[in-house]
Structures are given as structure tokens and as C-alpha cells.
Amino acid sequence: MAPAASRLRSEAALGSLPRRALTQYLLLLRLYPVLTKAASSGALLALGNVLAQMIEKKRKKEDSQNLDVSGPLRYAVYGFFITGPLSHYFYLLMDHWIPPGAPWAGIRRLLLDRLVFAPAFLLLFFLVMNLLEGKDAETLATKMRSGFWPALRMNWRVWTPLQFVNINYVPLQFRVLFANLAALVWYVYLASLG
């Protein structure tokens, strides 16, 4: 009987692991909101890049187990220093500028996000990734001319419904996490398309 009881206790402890992790995350979010959002952004963006690389290798039927470590590192840096803090402050300012109870708040907040923040954030992404990759200004200009508008149009198509939910129904403290989890799924989806 003792081994069975021990096994039940260990299984119960495993079930409480997600609950303990959530409790710890909520505590860190309350004590260090920007740092917590920065760390979770960096980790989730890096994970998205790792998963995208794995899917791409599988799709191409590559036997190599090696991943390009510089990709996840670039995404971790971008997530930690740009996505997490910038998104945190943008959502705070959005709630200040357009309070949830204001007339047409849902539509106005969505328009602010989609027409101001999304293009600026995408431009920043192109710029920072170009710098982290060690590319020159001409490479950035070429990438911007060929990729910015298609990327922005796709961003508007895919992210508009997600952001509508995020900025109007997700509590403020979880908006960065919600967007990062959606981005994780988005990266995996893009990699699966080839």
C-alpha cells in the first residue's frame, strides 16, 4: 500500500506543478511587471524560432539535429529588450488614452493598435533584426522594399481579430503574454507552410 500511496502523492504533485508555476508567474508579474513580461517575451520568441527551425528541418527532411543557435538568441534579445517592455507600456498607455468605458473604445483601441503600433512595431522588428544579423543599411532597405508591405498586410489580416480580443477582453497584465503565445503559434504555423 505504501508504494501506491507514494505514487498517488507524486502524481498529485505533478498536477500541482502548473498551478505552482502560475502562482509564481502571477507573483513575479505583480512585483516586477516589466521584467517578467520581458523575460517571458524573450523565452517565447526564442522558443518560437526553435520550433520553426525544427519544423523547417523536418519539412525539408534534413537529418541534422543542429539548430542555428543565433536565431533563437536574436529572438530572445528582441523579445526581452523590445517586445516585452514596449508592449507593456503601449498597453498601459492605450488604457490611459482610451479607457475601456470610453465611447467606441473597442474600435478606437483596435485602430490605434493596427494603424499606429503595428506598422511601427514591424518597422522596428526589421531594423533590430537587421542589426542583430550584422547586415548593412542597404540590406535593410532592400528587405523593407520587398517585405514590409506584404508583412504588414498579413499582420493586419491575421492579428486584427487576435488583437481585438487581446486589447478589449484580456486583462491588462496578461496582454503581453497573450500576444506572445499567439506569436508562438504564428511562428510554428509559418514554418509549417514552408
Side-chain angles (χ1 to χ4, degrees), residues 28-51:
L28 290 171
L29 197 57
R30 193 174 75 244
L31 296 174
Y32 312 102
V34 178
L35 183 60
T36 303
K37 292 171 187 178
S40 61
S41 293
L44 287 171
L45 267 62
L47 177 61
N49 185 268
V50 167
L51 293 174

Side-chain angles (χ1 to χ4, degrees), residues 47-62 64 66-67 184-194:
L47 177 61
N49 185 268
V50 167
L51 293 174
Q53 286 188 51
M54 291 171 59
I55 290 170
E56 182 68 16
K57 285 182 182 293
K58 188 172 185 173
R59 192 182 63 76
K60 289 183 176 179
K61 296 181 174 59
E62 291 181 13
S64 171
N66 297 333
L67 291 175
L184 176 67
V185 173
W186 178 242
Y187 293 144
V188 172
Y189 169 72
L190 288 178
S192 70
L193 293 178

Side-chain angles (χ1 to χ4, degrees), residues 26-113:
L26 293 174
L27 175 65
L28 290 171
L29 197 57
R30 193 174 75 244
L31 296 174
Y32 312 102
V34 178
L35 183 60
T36 303
K37 292 171 187 178
S40 61
S41 293
L44 287 171
L45 267 62
L47 177 61
N49 185 268
V50 167
L51 293 174
Q53 286 188 51
M54 291 171 59
I55 290 170
E56 182 68 16
K57 285 182 182 293
K58 188 172 185 173
R59 192 182 63 76
K60 289 183 176 179
K61 296 181 174 59
E62 291 181 13
D63 291 332
S64 171
Q65 296 294 329
N66 297 333
L67 291 175
D68 172 19
V69 178
S70 64
L73 286 175
R74 281 191 305 272
Y75 277 81
V77 166
Y78 186 78
F80 187 84
F81 290 105
I82 306 291
T83 302
L86 186 61
S87 298
H88 168 81
Y89 288 112
F90 173 72
Y91 291 134
L92 277 175
L93 286 172
M94 180 188 291
D95 271 17
H96 178 73
W97 290 333
I98 309 169
W104 297 91
I107 299 301
R108 290 172 50 208
R109 291 154 67 108
L110 185 65
L111 289 172
L112 176 65
D113 178 74

Side-chain angles (χ1 to χ4, degrees), residues 98-168:
I98 309 169
W104 297 91
I107 299 301
R108 290 172 50 208
R109 291 154 67 108
L110 185 65
L111 289 172
L112 176 65
D113 178 74
R114 303 289 65 220
L115 299 178
V116 177
F117 188 70
F121 194 75
L122 185 60
L123 176 64
L124 187 61
F125 176 81
F126 275 91
L127 176 65
V128 171
M129 284 300 171
N130 193 70
L131 289 171
L132 292 175
E133 291 169 358
K135 306 273 174 77
D136 61 10
E138 183 58 37
T139 304
L140 174 62
T142 302
K143 195 178 282 189
M144 289 296 296
R145 278 191 297 272
S146 67
F148 182 79
W149 283 112
L152 184 59
R153 283 192 305 270
M154 184 58 75
N155 177 296
W156 284 337
R157 278 189 219 119
V158 172
W159 284 93
T160 297
L162 292 171
Q163 281 299 88
F164 181 80
V165 170
N166 192 17
I167 60 181
N168 290 302

